[in-house]
Amino acid sequence: MLKKIFNFRNLIFLIIMIALCVIIVKQQTTLNNKVDEYKAAVAESEAIAGEREDFETGKAVGNTYTSDEDLARGAGYVYNGEIVFDYD
């Protein structure tokens, strides 16, 4: 009876099945690692995009900055050629 269970054909089949299971587990582990790397890359990309958006917003605000002197000149309180001392 034991000879029938452990014959050569069953032993080869068992080895092949174990090898397939090992290959499937390794592939799944590799895929899980790649998914984690992808998620980290997407999160980093979103963070960089947010920083870029903040930079662009700050750049737009910086370009529209007008000083108190410029506002006073525009309102007609300070004439061209006058020296203005700003005490903030």
Side-chain angles (χ1 to χ4, degrees):
M1 172 125 183
L2 284 176
K3 189 174 182 183
K4 214 173 205 186
I5 293 174
F6 293 113
N7 65 12
F8 185 69
R9 196 178 327 159
N10 287 342
L11 185 61
I12 296 296
F13 180 73
L14 183 64
I15 290 172
I16 291 173
M17 292 307 288
I18 290 173
L20 286 175
C21 289
V22 168
I23 290 171
I24 290 172
V25 168
K26 280 187 171 184
Q27 285 180 347
Q28 189 61 43
T29 303
T30 304
L31 285 174
N32 288 340
N33 291 340
K34 293 294 181 184
V35 167
D36 291 341
E37 289 176 14
Y38 176 75
K39 286 180 182 178
V42 167
E44 185 177 351
S45 174
E46 289 175 354
I48 290 172
E51 289 176 7
R52 182 182 175 113
E53 184 178 325
D54 292 343
F55 175 75
E56 292 294 331
T57 304
K59 184 177 166 185
V61 168
N63 289 339
T64 60
Y65 172 76
T66 55
S67 67
D68 292 338
E69 181 179 348
D70 293 336
L71 291 173
R73 286 187 192 278
Y77 296 118
V78 179
Y79 298 107
N80 289 333
E82 278 188 285
I83 299 173
V84 177
F85 297 99
D86 190 13
Y87 299 104
D88 282 334

